Amino acid sequence: MTFISSGDHKGTPLPGSQKRSQPTSATEISTESIVASQTVRVLLDLLEVGDFQERWDAAKRLPSFGQLALEGTLMLLRSHPEDDELAWFAAQVIGQFHSSEALSALLELLTSATTDEDVKGMAARTLANLGEVAIAPLSELLEEERWRLLGIRTLAQVRHGDVVERVVPFWDDENAEVRAQVLALLSCHRHPLLLTPVLKGVRDLSPLVRREATIALGLQHEWIQELAPEVVIVPLLRERLLDLDLAVSQQAAIALSRVGTLEAIAALGRCLRSSETPVPLKLEVIRALGWVQRPQSIELLQTALSQPSLQLCLEAIRVLSQVKPKHLKHRAAKALTTWWNGHPPHRETPQVRQAIALGLGNFGQPETQAVVRSLLEDTDEMVRWHAMAGCEASR
């Protein structure tokens, strides 16, 4: 079951959608109540049997009618357990109410074995949007093993400092997915309890946990150094760069780029030069060196141009041609033109000539423009087209 964004729909005004003036007498109050009750009934009917657009509009209007609308929506939800689309819209309506009834209904949707995954997702988002009030009931899910992972994932969407305190006790849970989810949450917070789970997690038996711990090391390396100056981050990441699980080693490359020290760059360089490093990891290392954007990373990227793999060569051209800092732009241009003028084997490949023509066009320097203009006469039509685009870009 797939749903689309609420911003894409603007329906016609529904009954009761016009702004009502303030009643001034008992008769007017009574009339106003009757009109409101009738409007809610119409909206609930649309929510129950309307098409997608009608349900959408009804779900947007119902919360403004308060408790009457909540009670009616809850009744619909309970009387049509098989209607996933209705449940999806009902979750949106219910999520606008900060009441125990609303919380209970959303939790029931979230934990029911028969609830559609899209509906569960909506229930989780609406619970998270309730903020602090949802933390306590969601935390109760953590006490039961079968709901723990779901509870942590939902709590992770609640933007409140108390969430970390509720989740961190489960960092060493028997379930690797739970441990990984705790680390994923901790990586987004500068919290004193971060240190032990991350340092243990980078050497966990589960690659899923090692991956999340590695991400946390990269995102929170400065905070970890504040908490424990004796912890040396780069050796830990260098170890993960050699991890047998590719997803872990790729995250280690990204984390080293975030650290960005000369030691981190050197670790990436050793990985790039090693003949034992698989191509997918080398690709990530090349991108990581591009993010560091220091003179030493430019030098290493120049060596990547001469890697035997065509894929690595093309990625190095792309990364070097996108260097932005002015003090490095000249270095990047020189790295590309020096390599090109050395007539490397990859120069015979049209894809490489296309990439050079387009990439060097980003620099607008005399030596780069000369290369781009020379490619206007290339025998390959696509190369000539790329050279024309490069000439346009350098103007």
Side-chain angles (χ1 to χ4, degrees), residues 14-17 36-49 54-55 57-65 69 76:
L14 292 166
S17 62
S37 179
Q38 290 173 339
T39 304
V40 169
R41 184 66 262 165
V42 171
L43 292 172
L44 288 172
D45 286 344
L46 289 173
L47 193 64
E48 181 178 14
V49 298
E54 290 169 333
R55 282 176 158 177
D57 292 332
K60 287 172 65 178
R61 289 288 301 129
L62 276 166
S64 65
F65 289 90
L76 280 182

Side-chain angles (χ1 to χ4, degrees), residues 24-39:
T24 57
S25 69
T27 301
E28 288 180 343
I29 292 173
S30 177
T31 302
E32 185 77 8
S33 299
I34 293 169
V35 171
S37 179
Q38 290 173 339
T39 304

Side-chain angles (χ1 to χ4, degrees), residues 212-256:
E212 293 298 338
T214 301
I215 292 171
L217 269 179
L219 290 172
Q220 299 290 351
H221 64 94
E222 292 179 346
W223 176 237
I224 290 171
Q225 291 281 255
E226 284 185 41
L227 291 174
E230 71 278 7
V231 174
V232 188
I233 303 290
V234 172
L236 290 172
L237 291 174
R238 192 166 57 224
E239 186 179 321
R240 294 283 62 82
L241 202 56
L242 302 174
D243 201 286
L244 294 176
D245 187 275
L246 179 61
V248 177
S249 57
Q250 288 175 320
Q251 287 302 323
I254 296 169
L256 283 165

Side-chain angles (χ1 to χ4, degrees), residues 234 256-266 292 294:
V234 172
L256 283 165
S257 75
R258 290 194 171 108
V259 175
T261 61
L262 292 179
E263 189 183 5
I265 294 171
V292 175
R294 294 183 65 164

